[in-house]
Amino acid sequence: MKILITGGAGFIGSHLAGSLLGDGHQVMILDDLSTGRHSNIRYLDDGQNVEFILGSILNEALVDDAVRRADVVFHLAAAVGVSLIVQRPLESLATNIRGSEVVLDKCHKYGRKVLVTSTSEIYGKNTSEGLGEEDDRILGSPLKTRWSYSEAKAIEEVLAYAYWREKGLPTVIVRLFNTVGPRQVGHYGMVIPRLVEQALLNLPLTVYGDGQQKRSFCHVRDVVRGLVELVSSPGAEGQVFNLGSRDEISILDLANRIVALANSSSEIQLIPYESAYEVGFEDMRRRRPDTSKVERVTGWNPQANLDEILTDVIADVSERLPE
Ligand code: UDP
């Protein structure tokens, strides 16, 4: 098949492209390289089965042409990363709302199945033991910039769902929880590449708040397998799925684990949220998915544990760091 990946030069998109190529598909990558990087996809380029289209999902003519030529669409292009959202909210809203509207509209025009990647930020401050797809969203004030990402992605979900209900467009919505692995960069906030880089440079590890907030990290390889399995499952159409790991760790414990695995002499430094982000910044204390739905529909379960993830990231960041 010919598969279009919007945001295909990003961290997750580039891993997805590699996996689909390995399965014998042709891949079109549409990316404006705002946070995606050409180096992420350079290694894919055999000139035969990969087509790279430089441009934004806000460019209707470009999206129209790409969707027309595709059999299936994975919509991953988005403004992501807490730091980026807090620094550039307007641009992030335009990409995440208007851009998704363009992609869904074109998928409808040409009748193309589309998998839309949403986010665990949807749940906001809901700290349930295991967040289920039907659980409530608990958000702070819209004037706290962080929540604008959750709002934008919720609108994207509503759009995708409405296209399925009202127009019969086959859509699948996937809420990605913290996804990590090689090629992820720390510039936009992501904690693991940031802490690994600090550890390898023997700099203090910047743990925000009291470090007791918890996250569940999933290897990008497992996430990509889940995306491919979901798009291939007829039972997934018109549905929303959590995709992520259920293994939880506090950020302080994570930092200690990274120091140990990287053989680092770094210390750990606690940094108040208002210095790290902005005054009044709200974090989630916890965010752990219930993934029984994806398991029921596709049999998916993550395979890589945290140490395997960290070992892969340490190797990747070591290669990228200057001597
Ligand atoms: N975090 C941290 N130090 C950093 C970057 C992030 O302690 O240098 C914390 C952040 O405040 C959050 C957790 O790590 O509690 C995960 O952050 P990330 O931005 O990776 O993901 P998200 O907040 O979207 O779960």
Side-chain angles (χ1 to χ4, degrees):
M1 281 201 289
K2 197 167 204 177
I3 300 177
L4 170 64
I5 309 174
T6 71
F11 157 57
I12 302 175
S14 65
H15 283 278
L16 176 62
S19 165
L20 293 171
L21 283 167
D23 290 343
H25 298 292
Q26 290 190 312
V27 172
M28 279 189 279
I29 289 173
L30 173 66
D31 202 300
D32 64 0
L33 300 183
S34 53
T35 55
R37 293 176 303 157
H38 209 265
S39 58
N40 282 344
I41 52 170
R42 200 171 292 138
Y43 81 102
L44 296 174
D45 203 356
D46 63 357
Q48 292 269 305
N49 294 313
V50 188
E51 177 184 343
F52 176 66
I53 307 162
L54 176 64
S56 163
I57 50 170
L58 294 166
N59 182 334
E60 285 199 43
L62 207 60
V63 176
D64 188 288
D65 180 60
V67 172
R68 182 180 55 79
R69 293 188 290 119
D71 298 303
V72 174
V73 178
F74 285 86
H75 175 39
L76 273 70
V80 293
V82 177
S83 293
L84 180 75
I85 308 298
V86 170
Q87 283 158 21
R88 307 209 294 258
L90 274 181
E91 192 184 319
S92 306
L93 284 168
T95 306
N96 294 345
I97 299 180
R98 179 80 194 111
S100 296
E101 213 175 339
V102 171
V103 172
L104 284 161
D105 179 52
K106 300 306 176 191
C107 289
H108 173 238
K109 178 174 172 188
Y110 295 109
R112 303 293 188 249
K113 182 168 190 172
V114 55
L115 180 146
V116 170
T117 45
S118 181
T119 169
S120 55
E121 286 269 328
I122 286 287
Y123 299 106
K125 293 184 277 187
N126 187 331
T127 53
S128 304
E129 165 74 28
L131 291 159
E133 284 86 352
E134 302 291 323
D135 282 359
D136 287 341
R137 307 177 57 215
I138 304 177
L139 302 183
S141 157
L143 302 184
K144 297 207 163 145
T145 347
R146 176 189 193 135
W147 304 121
S148 67
Y149 180 55
S150 182
E151 303 288 21
K153 294 302 271 187
I155 291 171
E156 180 191 47
E157 285 197 14
V158 174
L159 271 170
Y161 188 62
Y163 267 106
W164 178 73
R165 269 191 64 151
E166 288 179 35
K167 312 265 190 196
L169 179 70
T171 61
V172 181
I173 302 165
V174 183
R175 292 184 188 147
L176 299 178
F177 283 64
N178 295 70
T179 303
V180 287
R183 286 185 231 142
Q184 187 176 40
V185 291
H187 317 324
Y188 312 105
M190 281 68 171
V191 67
I192 288 188
R194 286 175 60 82
L195 298 190
V196 166
E197 185 171 327
Q198 291 159 351
L200 290 172
L201 294 171
N202 294 314
L203 295 169
L205 267 62
T206 55
V207 170
Y208 300 157
D210 61 5
Q212 294 309 313
Q213 69 274 33
K214 291 181 177 165
R215 294 293 188 274
S216 308
F217 296 97
C218 194
H219 198 298
V220 64
R221 196 172 51 230
D222 285 324
V223 167
V224 160
R225 185 167 45 81
L227 294 177
V228 173
E229 285 174 12
L230 279 167
V231 96
S232 325
S233 302
E237 289 172 16
Q239 304 274 328
V240 56
F241 297 89
N242 289 334
L243 201 61
S245 165
R246 288 182 304 268
D247 289 341
E248 241 183 350
I249 187 165
S250 75
I251 301 301
L252 192 58
D253 288 348
L254 173 73
N256 281 311
R257 194 77 204 120
I258 289 173
V259 168
L261 284 175
N263 286 322
S264 168
S265 58
S266 293
E267 290 180 350
I268 290 170
Q269 194 181 2
L270 294 182
I271 298 183
Y273 283 114
E274 51 269 31
S275 315
Y277 298 109
E278 61 181 359
V279 174
F281 179 84
E282 292 180 312
D283 196 14
M284 288 89 164
R285 294 305 286 170
R286 168 179 216 199
R287 198 162 56 190
R288 179 172 182 265
D290 175 342
T291 48
S292 51
K293 190 171 173 189
V294 62
E295 188 178 349
R296 202 167 56 245
V297 173
T298 69
W300 181 88
N301 254 307
Q303 320 247 284
N305 64 29
L306 185 65
D307 278 6
E308 289 168 297
I309 292 171
L310 293 178
T311 305
D312 277 5
V313 176
I314 289 167
D316 177 60
V317 176
S318 306
E319 267 178 40
R320 281 193 269 130
L321 281 180
E323 287 299 314

